[in-house]
Amino acid sequence: MNVIFRTALATLITMAALIPAAFAQQPYPSKPIRLLIPSPPGGGTDILGRLLKEGLTELWAQPVVVDNRGGASGRIAAAAVAKANPDGYTLLFTYGGVLTTGLPLFRTLPYHPIKDFAPVAMMAHVPGVLVAHPSFPAKTVAEIIKLAKAKPGALTHGASSIGSSSHLNMELFKQMAGIDMLLVSYPGDAPALVALLGGHVPFAFNNVVAALPHIQSGKLRAIAVATAQRVPHLQDVPTIAESGLPGYEGLLFYALVAPARTPPAIINKLNDAVRQIKQTAVVKQQLSTLGAISIDMTPDELGLLLQRELAKWTKVIEAGGIKAD
């Protein structure tokens, strides 16, 4: 009996030891995925993130739960993902600034924007455009620079908030052009746009989606786009780079990342899934409606972009002496 008991016990122990391995070998994904978004429902990041959620759910027949963690300029959501188990079941869908401008703006973060995340996939970018009130005399980048140099510090421009893409794109513009202008900051994109439409500030950066109806109606004048190439919605509008500031580019992009040390096989499967989702008619239409331009990148390519953008904006922010509100 003792021999039989010992044999049975050994068998049970062996089987118990194999259970975790069996679960570990289950194909990914085998349970719901949590997708954190660092903004409240309804904004551009949330809309694109939910497109991704629907696509992943349909592709893999696994629930994807959106967790909106707005506030603190994205730090709350990013910190939660950075500390999560690196198993592919907790992901961050974010606008680029959380990973590329947060560290120089706030000086310290509860995570490192490069070391604590594994790049997964690029979703898209939304082009920025330099727009002016019709009463503003300058019609080109060169004319703005000439006006600013004639009266250093006198020319004003608007921005949605300190550290926003509209602010930092203008700061990059100022530094590359070697000019000094006065910033008028507003508490958000909508108030900044209202001020521009009312002529309270002469010009500012905005995204193409928000600015396009006003450009088409003649309430705003498009001067140049912030992207490296001209954009589909404004083919007749030059880039800032071709307007006298070679190399200028200010990207507002959206990307998917996971906690560092997430297995490469999971990262690559997610990257493939994002590419497939972006090829669907529904997502293509939604991206077009939002004015977003799809960009495909490998995880390594996205990682290099994030490193370059962090280094670039750190230099701009430090040179401008900018501190977050």
Side-chain angles (χ1 to χ4, degrees):
M1 285 294 292
N2 287 339
V3 173
I4 295 173
F5 176 76
R6 286 197 298 271
T7 302
L9 181 61
T11 301
L12 286 172
I13 291 171
T14 301
M15 290 175 64
L18 291 174
I19 289 173
F23 277 108
Q25 293 170 7
Q26 285 185 329
Y28 174 85
S30 58
K31 62 181 183 179
I33 295 169
R34 188 163 61 113
L35 183 65
L36 274 77
I37 296 177
S39 60
T45 310
D46 179 66
I47 292 170
L48 290 174
R50 288 177 186 275
L51 279 178
L52 187 59
K53 160 200 156 43
E54 295 299 330
L56 289 173
T57 299
E58 184 174 344
L59 186 65
W60 287 342
Q62 280 290 349
V64 177
V65 180
V66 167
D67 184 350
N68 290 95
R69 298 278 188 98
S73 299
R75 287 170 287 170
I76 297 171
V81 174
K83 297 170 184 175
N85 188 14
D87 57 4
Y89 291 99
T90 304
L91 305 171
L92 176 69
F93 182 78
T94 181
Y95 56 93
V98 171
L99 304 175
T100 60
T101 64
L103 185 58
L105 279 171
F106 295 100
R107 307 302 194 265
T108 59
L109 293 174
Y111 55 88
H112 191 279
I114 302 298
K115 296 176 183 177
D116 289 340
F117 296 98
V120 175
M122 174 71 83
M123 186 73 169
H125 77 90
V126 175
V129 58
L130 184 59
V131 286
H133 189 269
S135 63
F136 186 50
K139 294 180 172 60
T140 66
V141 165
E143 290 176 0
I144 291 176
I145 295 172
K146 184 178 179 180
L147 277 176
K149 287 186 173 180
K151 295 181 178 180
L155 191 60
T156 61
H157 68 89
S160 60
S161 61
I162 300 296
S164 64
S165 61
S166 61
H167 174 212
L168 295 180
N169 280 356
M170 191 66 81
E171 186 63 33
L172 177 62
F173 182 91
K174 288 162 57 178
Q175 291 181 19
M176 292 183 68
I179 57 177
D180 180 25
M181 299 187 295
L182 179 64
L183 166 67
V184 181
S185 178
Y186 295 89
D189 292 334
L193 182 57
V194 169
L196 181 59
L197 289 167
H200 303 296
V201 288
F203 68 109
F205 276 101
N206 210 309
N207 66 73
V208 168
V209 184
L212 189 60
H214 305 296
I215 294 170
Q216 292 171 334
S217 69
K219 293 179 181 178
L220 293 177
R221 182 171 64 246
I223 294 175
V225 293
T227 46
Q229 291 86 31
R230 296 193 183 198
V231 301
H233 299 79
L234 297 168
Q235 281 290 344
D236 294 333
V237 178
T239 67
I240 292 174
E242 68 181 296
S243 300
L245 296 179
Y248 182 96
E249 184 177 23
L251 279 180
L252 173 59
F253 65 88
Y254 300 88
L256 181 68
V257 297
R261 299 177 299 282
T262 299
I266 291 176
I267 296 293
N268 291 330
K269 187 168 185 178
L270 280 163
N271 183 277
D272 289 341
V274 174
R275 288 173 185 260
Q276 290 180 54
I277 290 165
K278 289 196 293 180
Q279 291 303 312
T280 63
V282 171
V283 174
K284 282 183 175 181
Q285 178 59 46
Q286 285 288 341
L287 289 176
S288 177
T289 300
L290 292 169
I293 299 173
S294 175
I295 307 176
D296 284 334
M297 288 187 177
T298 66
D300 287 343
E301 289 170 340
L302 176 57
L304 290 173
L305 173 71
L306 292 174
Q307 291 178 43
R308 288 196 305 269
E309 288 286 295
L310 175 60
K312 168 184 170 178
W313 292 114
T314 297
K315 185 176 178 181
V316 170
I317 290 165
E318 291 179 350
I322 301 169
K323 295 181 179 179
D325 290 338

